[in-house]
Amino acid sequence: RELEANLDRIARETADLRELPPLAEITDVLVSQDELLAMIPELVAEEITPEDAAAQSRALAALGLIPPGTDLLALTERLLGEQAAGFYDPLTDEMLVVFDGNPGLTEYFYAHEVIHALQDAHLDPDDLMEDLTALNSDQTLATLALYEGDAVTGSAIYLERHPTLALALLREVDRDFPVMDEAPASVGMVLLFPYTAGATFVDRLLAEGGWDAVNAAYTDMPASTEQILHPLKYLERDEPSLIALPDPTTALGAGWRVVDENTLGELQTAVLLADFDPGEGFNSITGDIALPESARNAAAGWDGDRFALWENGDGERETLVWRSVWDTPQDARAFSRALAQFGNGRWNSVFNGESPDDVALVTPEIAARILLDGQEVLYVQAPNLALADAALAALQTASPPNPTPGTD
């Protein structure tokens, strides 16, 4: 009963600090750390199927963001298990509270999760929190950055009211996180970005117009990691362009099909170009993302992209196509040069051609081409040059990029 009374107090105080009406009731489910760990596969299954995770793994490996053969689903479960301190489940409206851990840590994280419950009750009329699958991965990351950034900022204000809890968090900093240290950097970045960059984004909204400005963002969600990384682009509604890709059967013939199609976005483009080793790219103490300036600059002019991994009927051959559009021809050129440099190191070969704007790389295992066309950069990767050339020709005839509907 003492624990329940304390949780009620935390919930009321958090709602007051967040300037939202307190919830009449929160369904708290008290679990041990081991019980929470056992529930993680089920919680992950609410977000992604094994089939979709396998397809995403293949596409990210083709891009060079994760090693081939990475089990993305199992890795996600292990990472969450290493980080888990409690969850709010919007599908069941239940708060999973660890009761056998560090009490101070439980209090801090409960305040964080209460904000998620408040979001669900007051700020998410379309229940987007319950189903992000209709969004592309970059847009999902941006949406999560609002949710998590809001909760990080709100729970930080709670922490300021209760400074003794900081000791519990300091003890947490001393913990080892071996799964995170060994995970591909891109996976760790996706896990941390909503919390770290999201908090910076929400702080900017607070500075613009207080919690009213943050609340308003839920009716006009950020559309890209670009807007999170550069809050002014959100405030000025610099929306990403919509990119069309050709049909694989039109491009390469009958029998070819889409394995996975998605949007990479500015964050993951920068992470790709940074070419981190596992565990690199973020401060292990603060969790802040630390992208090298060269990668940040090469990705900073992003205006939209779309990639797809195609396979033939027997699954023995794969072709990757990636189309991106940039704010200016100079931005497109900077990205194309950085992408070629990344490919040189990745394939231990050299992109070259008669013009630096149209280059190819051919090895016994792979053929790739990069074409700079005004503000667009087209990239293809296939088992041989003939397939690469055919895929590139199809990309060149695809519909031009379009501004997001309702934007300038």
Side-chain angles (χ1 to χ4, degrees), residues 339-363:
L339 182 60
Q341 186 176 0
F342 167 75
N344 293 344
R346 180 186 182 192
W347 303 114
N348 195 28
S349 187
V350 177
F351 275 98
N352 57 64
E354 293 184 5
S355 163
D357 296 343
D358 184 359
V359 293
L361 177 151
V362 180
T363 74

Side-chain angles (χ1 to χ4, degrees), residues 61-125:
L63 283 161
L65 277 165
I66 62 175
T70 299
D71 187 335
L72 201 57
L73 193 64
L75 178 58
T76 300
E77 291 174 359
R78 290 171 60 215
L79 282 166
L80 289 177
E82 188 175 74
Q83 310 283 330
F87 285 100
Y88 171 73
D89 188 343
L91 292 177
T92 62
D93 296 332
E94 291 178 339
M95 193 84 77
L96 305 179
V97 183
V98 175
F99 65 83
D100 63 351
N102 181 327
L105 202 63
T106 296
E107 181 170 346
Y108 169 76
F109 281 109
Y110 189 76
H112 179 106
E113 298 303 326
V114 163
I115 294 176
H116 288 320
L118 293 168
Q119 293 165 346
D120 192 22
H122 301 307
L123 303 173
D124 191 24

Side-chain angles (χ1 to χ4, degrees), residues 59 87 144 174 189 258 267 313 339 349 365:
F87 285 100
L144 288 173
D174 291 333
M189 292 283 189
V258 175
L267 173 71
L339 182 60
S349 187
E365 295 80 25

Side-chain angles (χ1 to χ4, degrees), residues 236-300:
E236 295 180 347
R237 299 304 187 269
D238 181 354
E239 303 289 349
S241 294
L242 300 178
I243 309 295
L245 294 178
D247 181 87
T249 58
T250 302
L252 302 182
W256 284 86
R257 70 174 192 90
V258 175
V259 175
D260 189 48
E261 181 177 327
N262 215 321
T263 296
L264 205 59
E266 180 175 335
L267 173 71
Q268 288 282 61
T269 297
V271 172
L272 176 75
L273 299 177
D275 197 18
F276 289 121
D277 288 331
E280 289 187 341
F282 49 86
N283 186 308
S284 60
I285 295 177
T286 65
D288 290 337
I289 291 172
L291 290 165
E293 185 176 359
S294 58
R296 285 202 317 270
N297 290 343

Side-chain angles (χ1 to χ4, degrees), residues 21-333:
L23 299 175
E25 183 180 0
I26 296 178
T27 304
D28 295 319
V29 179
L30 303 182
V31 297
S32 68
Q33 188 71 44
D34 289 342
E35 287 173 331
L36 181 61
L37 292 177
M39 297 171 71
I40 283 177
E42 181 181 348
L43 293 169
V44 172
E46 293 176 0
E47 305 297 329
I48 187 170
T49 66
E51 295 76 17
D52 286 344
Q56 289 181 20
S57 296
R58 287 177 60 186
L60 294 176
L63 283 161
L65 277 165
I66 62 175
T70 299
D71 187 335
L72 201 57
L73 193 64
L75 178 58
T76 300
E77 291 174 359
R78 290 171 60 215
L79 282 166
L80 289 177
E82 188 175 74
Q83 310 283 330
F87 285 100
Y88 171 73
D89 188 343
L91 292 177
T92 62
D93 296 332
E94 291 178 339
M95 193 84 77
L96 305 179
V97 183
V98 175
F99 65 83
D100 63 351
N102 181 327
L105 202 63
T106 296
E107 181 170 346
Y108 169 76
F109 281 109
Y110 189 76
H112 179 106
E113 298 303 326
V114 163
I115 294 176
H116 288 320
L118 293 168
Q119 293 165 346
D120 192 22
H122 301 307
L123 303 173
D124 191 24
D126 297 326
D127 288 329
L128 184 59
M129 186 186 290
E130 296 182 12
D131 185 12
L132 295 170
T133 57
L135 309 180
N136 66 59
S137 290
D138 187 61
Q139 191 176 7
T140 296
L141 261 182
T143 302
L144 288 173
L146 175 60
Y147 290 136
E148 297 297 350
D150 184 355
V152 168
T153 297
S155 54
I157 295 171
Y158 182 90
L159 185 63
E160 290 174 3
R161 291 279 190 95
H162 301 274
T164 57
L165 297 180
L167 295 175
L169 295 183
L170 286 174
R171 287 195 291 272
E172 186 74 2
V173 167
D174 291 333
R175 279 183 55 201
D176 292 327
F177 296 95
V179 180
M180 179 69 85
D181 290 341
E182 296 172 5
S186 64
V187 179
M189 292 283 189
V190 166
L191 188 66
L192 291 173
F193 176 82
Y195 298 88
T196 57
T200 301
F201 175 78
V202 168
D203 286 344
R204 176 61 185 272
L205 296 185
L206 275 172
E208 291 287 327
W211 286 116
D212 286 345
V214 179
N215 296 346
Y218 287 87
T219 61
D220 189 9
M221 286 282 191
S224 65
T225 57
E226 176 193 45
Q227 292 183 346
I228 301 298
L229 290 164
H230 313 281
L232 187 61
K233 294 200 172 187
Y234 171 77
L235 295 170
E236 295 180 347
R237 299 304 187 269
D238 181 354
E239 303 289 349
S241 294
L242 300 178
I243 309 295
L245 294 178
D247 181 87
T249 58
T250 302
L252 302 182
W256 284 86
R257 70 174 192 90
V258 175
V259 175
D260 189 48
E261 181 177 327
N262 215 321
T263 296
L264 205 59
E266 180 175 335
L267 173 71
Q268 288 282 61
T269 297
V271 172
L272 176 75
L273 299 177
D275 197 18
F276 289 121
D277 288 331
E280 289 187 341
F282 49 86
N283 186 308
S284 60
I285 295 177
T286 65
D288 290 337
I289 291 172
L291 290 165
E293 185 176 359
S294 58
R296 285 202 317 270
N297 290 343
W302 181 94
D303 191 56
D305 80 82
R306 197 75 175 161
F307 69 86
L309 181 67
W310 301 336
E311 70 173 3
N312 67 338
D314 56 18
E316 293 182 357
R317 292 185 294 171
E318 294 182 347
T319 295
L320 175 72
V321 295
W322 184 17
R323 184 183 182 195
S324 58
V325 62
W326 299 80
D327 290 334
T328 68
Q330 292 75 21
D331 291 325
R333 181 177 298 108

